[in-house]
């Protein structure tokens, strides 16, 4: 049976796999980015299970939804579709791993592929936030050929040619131009 499960508790996962299906409406997740808005519900399905051998929670599944932002060049509205599969592993943070006052130890390649959790388990909202943010492009553009905003007059160059010179020369440096 599929049900809404918003927290994966280790104690429950030790007993059985937990299939989940959730629809996270706008406002259910804090994105920590003022420009980023959730425009549709994010649909998430998958399974969570506990691997006793490695003491880790495995959460795998699929998520899909739409996010809104503004173009990094011209500030126009941008709609970003998210549609991804995920397969994640989380291990508990052990007190002996605390590095305060100790030299840092390098991470193994396997450590980079594993997340860590504190407490009784992992929240679905945290997983969804991480996966959505990782799936979004680093530069959010309305279109690849976006011309941006004129730095002199502020006109959106995609809508109107403003006639400003691209580079204004500082008069103090004008003499160097003739060298």
């Amino acid at each position: 049976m599929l049900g809404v499960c918003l927290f994966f508790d280790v104690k429950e996962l030790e007993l059985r796999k937990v299939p989940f299906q959730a629809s996270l409406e706008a406002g259910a997740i804090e994105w920590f980015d003022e420009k980023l808005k959730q425009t549709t519900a994010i649909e998430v399905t998958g399974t969570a299970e506990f691997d006793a051998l490695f003491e880790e929670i495995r959460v795998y599944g699929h998520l899909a939804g739409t996010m809104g932002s503004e173009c990094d060049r011209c500030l126009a509205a941008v709609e970003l579709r998210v549609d991804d599969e995920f397969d994640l592993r989380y291990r508990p943070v052990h007190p002996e791993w605390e590095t305060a006052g100790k030299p840092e130890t390098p991470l193994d390649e396997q450590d980079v592929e594993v997340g860590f959790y504190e407490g009784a388990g992992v929240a679905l909202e945290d997983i969804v936030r991480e996966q959505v943010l990782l799936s979004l492009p680093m530069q959010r553009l309305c279109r690849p050929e976006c011309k941006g905003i004129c730095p002199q007059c502020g006109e959106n160059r995609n809508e109107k040619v403003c006639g400003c010179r691209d580079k204004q020369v500082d008069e103090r440096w004008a003499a160097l131009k003739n060298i």
Side-chain angles (χ1 to χ4, degrees):
M1 179 179 115
L2 292 176
V4 176
C5 177
L6 299 178
F7 187 78
F8 303 115
D9 191 302
V10 174
K11 299 290 185 203
E12 182 180 359
L13 295 174
E14 288 176 335
L15 301 174
R16 65 182 179 90
K17 289 182 180 182
V18 176
F20 61 91
Q21 179 176 346
S23 180
L24 302 170
E25 298 296 327
I29 298 175
E30 174 62 43
W31 297 105
F32 305 115
D33 182 343
E34 296 138 14
K35 295 179 185 179
L36 192 61
K37 307 289 182 230
Q38 184 178 335
T39 57
T40 65
I42 297 179
E43 304 296 330
V44 189
T45 59
T47 304
E49 60 187 38
F50 186 73
D51 184 340
L53 179 64
F54 295 106
E55 288 188 70
E56 63 186 20
I57 296 173
R58 179 179 178 211
V59 182
Y60 54 94
H62 178 262
L63 62 83
T66 306
M67 304 297 290
S69 187
E70 57 185 38
C71 178
D72 288 338
R73 291 185 188 157
C74 71
L75 305 178
V78 178
E79 192 167 276
L80 305 162
R81 180 83 181 132
V82 176
D83 193 350
D84 276 332
E85 301 288 327
F86 58 91
D87 189 351
L88 308 167
R89 297 177 185 278
Y90 296 92
R91 292 187 184 148
V93 174
H94 292 291
E96 63 269 15
W97 293 351
E98 190 63 42
T99 60
K102 299 178 189 173
E104 290 188 28
T105 56
L107 292 175
D108 293 333
E109 189 173 319
Q110 68 180 12
D111 291 336
V112 175
E113 296 177 8
V114 175
F116 295 93
Y117 69 92
E118 292 184 271
V122 180
L124 179 62
E125 291 88 352
D126 294 337
I127 293 169
V128 171
R129 178 187 307 109
E130 176 183 88
Q131 293 307 300
V132 167
L133 292 176
L134 288 172
S135 70
L136 294 175
M138 290 293 289
Q139 189 172 35
R140 301 171 191 154
L141 300 176
C142 58
R143 58 184 177 266
E145 66 280 356
C146 177
K147 297 175 185 173
I149 293 176
C150 175
Q152 275 76 45
C153 70
E155 188 68 46
N156 184 339
R157 291 177 172 169
N158 297 313
E159 298 171 359
K160 181 181 172 187
V161 177
C162 62
C164 295
R165 290 180 36 202
D166 280 342
K167 295 184 179 181
Q168 291 183 340
V169 177
D170 185 337
E171 294 302 320
R172 295 173 292 175
W173 301 100
L176 295 175
K177 188 173 167 184
N178 299 327
I179 296 178

